[in-house]
Amino acid sequence: MSRDPAPTKVDPLKGEQAAALDRDGYLLLRGAVPAAWRDGLRAAFESGVGTGDQWAAPRGAGWRHALVDLDPTVQRTCRLPPLLAAATSPCIAMAPA
């Protein structure tokens, strides 16, 4: 039995959202993350904060970085359709590196 999550159906961004992402380089997705998940996400970040020597690449002074990729709420959040739609938007895929 596979532990991989079921594929998430992702519709493309709406035209005005895609245009804003292309124009501004970011997109505000108000309400995309359920309010009930937010405290858990904050707790996952706080518990995963590490010291600068844990990272393969140097981190900016005063920045806080956390290992959160194994947290189930973080994983569910990363698979939310609105976030996936923004991440897979053609304007992101075609952006210069």
Side-chain angles (χ1 to χ4, degrees):
M1 175 178 222
S2 173
R3 291 181 175 235
D4 291 338
T8 303
K9 181 179 182 333
V10 178
D11 293 325
L13 290 175
K14 295 177 183 160
E16 64 274 5
Q17 289 178 315
L21 180 57
D22 190 38
R23 179 188 67 242
D24 302 331
Y26 65 91
L27 184 62
L28 295 179
L29 298 169
R30 296 192 189 280
V33 176
W37 296 8
R38 295 178 195 156
D39 287 338
L41 290 168
R42 285 185 195 98
F45 182 84
E46 292 298 329
S47 69
V49 170
T51 59
D53 61 334
Q54 288 183 272
W55 311 102
R59 304 296 177 182
W63 287 39
R64 295 178 67 218
H65 299 275
L67 295 171
V68 297
D69 56 330
L70 298 179
D71 182 85
T73 305
V74 171
Q75 291 177 356
R76 284 194 319 261
T77 302
C78 292
R79 290 190 300 270
L80 286 170
L83 277 69
L84 290 173
T88 58
S89 174
C91 63
I92 295 297
M94 296 178 358

